[in-house]
Each structure stands twice: as C-alpha cells, then as structure tokens.
Amino acid sequence: FDRKRIPEILRSKQRWIERVVERMSAQQQLAGTDVAAAQPTQVSLQATGETWQVSYEPTTKTTLSLIEKPQHHLILRGNTDNMDYCKAALQQWVEHKAQKVLLPWLKTISREVKLPYKSAAIRKQKTIWGSCSIRQTISLNSKLLFLPEPIVQYVLVHELCHTVHLNHSPDFWALVGRHEPAYKALDASLRDARYLVPWWMEQ
C-alpha cells in the first residue's frame, strides 16, 4: 500500500473520525472511566453497577498477583511494571467475575421467558458478545460486564431466542420483540458498545 495516500484518506474521513471520537468520549464519560489508561486506576462494571478501585504495589518479585479486597478494591502486587502481567491478571479477574454474574443472570432470564438451554460458558470472544450453538450451548463474552445493564439483558434474551430460531429471520426477531420490546434501540446501542471496553481486555 502506498503510504503517501494515508494523509489523503484521513482528510476524506475526517468528519467520520471526529464523530466516532466524540461518541466514544461521551460513552466513556458516562461510564466514568478512561478505557485507554496505561495503568487503570479503576474498573467500571456497568452491568453490575460496581466500580472497583485498582492500586499497584511493586515488589522485587518477578511474578504478579491480584488481590481482591473489601469495598471494591483490587491490588496488583509484584512485578507491576510488566503490563502484560497486569493485563492477564485483570482479564482473569473479569472472567471469574463474569462466571459469577452472567451465568446466574442467564439462568434467571431463561426461567422468566421460558426459553431453556442446555449449557452456558464464558468466553473471551474478540468480536461477538454472545452465541448459541445448534446444541443450545450459549457462550457469553466476559466483556459484557462493561456494558450497561439493559444492553446485557438484551444480549441474554437475544441468545436465548436463538434456542428456538438459530437464525435472524422475521420469526426470530418477533420472538425477541415479545420478550424485549425495545430490542431495536438496544441492538443499535450494542454497535458502539465496544468503546466501553478497556484496552487491556483486548487479546
């Protein structure tokens, strides 16, 4: 690719870039967190309404451990200069949190809407929020914890409806609409929801 064309492309897309940046900034301000922070000082889990404070305690150890304290406090202790270690520890903590929050949440909604499933698991999917297999196994992205509660609820309903219709046919959307009347607005919000996920959650 001719790198000399990059300035021209940026100029042609400038208005779109500015709109996206403004939208990202607005969403992140609502979330009360800076998703691009080099070393996050807090973790905002909008799905549960929790904000965890993060502190760093460097030691001479070459390893790193994450300690969960009362009153929503996380301590990263050890080789805190190694951001790969910090990233891995935070990701593991989020995945464990998702196990405790999202799976029971899915089970509760399943009972409410009377749409059973066979099994469920937490995944670190890169581009999708959830999926449902032909065997009615639902996979949920641990990053859902960073999204507002109504959007997460919609994703769970969406995947449960796939246990009946494993497609996006009119019948599928009609079923979604019966259980979540505001699904169109929520689905539209989901398109930009990735901006609420901090950088250290990316693989």
Side-chain angles (χ1 to χ4, degrees):
F1 184 79
D2 185 0
R3 292 177 178 268
K4 293 178 182 178
R5 293 184 55 202
I6 292 176
E8 172 195 344
I9 293 171
L10 290 175
R11 279 194 298 272
S12 68
K13 299 293 184 182
Q14 183 175 350
R15 292 186 63 187
W16 177 83
I17 293 171
E18 289 172 350
R19 285 199 301 271
V20 170
V21 169
E22 288 174 3
R23 193 161 67 240
M24 288 173 59
S25 297
Q27 288 183 316
Q28 291 167 14
Q29 285 175 10
L30 287 173
T33 187
D34 180 3
V35 299
Q39 278 196 329
T41 56
Q42 66 178 31
V43 176
S44 178
L45 304 179
Q46 291 196 72
T48 61
E50 298 174 0
T51 298
W52 290 76
Q53 302 304 315
V54 182
S55 59
Y56 299 83
E57 295 184 359
T59 70
T60 56
K61 288 186 177 180
T62 56
T63 58
L64 182 135
S65 59
L66 185 147
I67 303 159
E68 184 176 311
K69 292 287 190 177
Q71 299 179 335
H72 296 157
H73 185 200
L74 301 176
I75 298 175
L76 290 170
R77 182 177 296 158
N79 187 5
T80 57
D81 289 335
N82 189 320
M83 275 313 300
D84 286 338
Y85 288 175
C86 294
K87 175 180 170 181
L90 289 168
Q91 283 186 1
Q92 188 175 20
W93 179 81
V94 170
E95 188 172 357
H96 179 66
K97 189 80 172 173
Q99 294 274 356
K100 295 194 296 183
V101 172
L102 296 178
L103 297 185
W105 193 351
L106 179 69
K107 186 177 293 187
T108 298
I109 295 177
S110 172
R111 291 170 179 163
E112 290 175 353
V113 300
K114 295 180 174 58
L115 292 173
Y117 59 96
K118 289 290 193 299
S119 61
I122 299 299
R123 299 277 187 264
K124 286 195 295 184
Q125 293 136 314
K126 192 174 181 69
T127 59
I128 60 173
W129 297 109
S131 63
C132 180
S133 74
I134 195 169
R135 293 185 176 87
Q136 295 190 339
T137 296
I138 293 177
S139 297
L140 299 173
N141 196 325
S142 58
K143 299 173 189 175
L144 284 167
L145 289 180
F146 296 95
L147 276 50
E149 182 270 340
I151 296 180
V152 179
Q153 178 101 354
Y154 161 67
V155 171
L156 302 186
V157 170
H158 184 113
E159 298 308 329
L160 286 167
C161 289
H162 275 315
T163 62
V164 180
H165 302 287
L166 204 60
N167 52 45
H168 288 99
S169 64
D171 288 340
F172 167 79
W173 289 114
L175 181 61
V176 173
R178 282 203 294 275
H179 299 300
E180 180 48 78
Y183 77 91
K184 289 184 179 179
L186 291 167
D187 193 68
S189 298
L190 193 58
R191 294 170 197 163
D192 290 335
R194 64 186 182 278
Y195 300 136
L196 297 174
V197 179
W199 72 269
W200 46 263
M201 278 299 296
E202 302 302 332
Q203 296 179 356

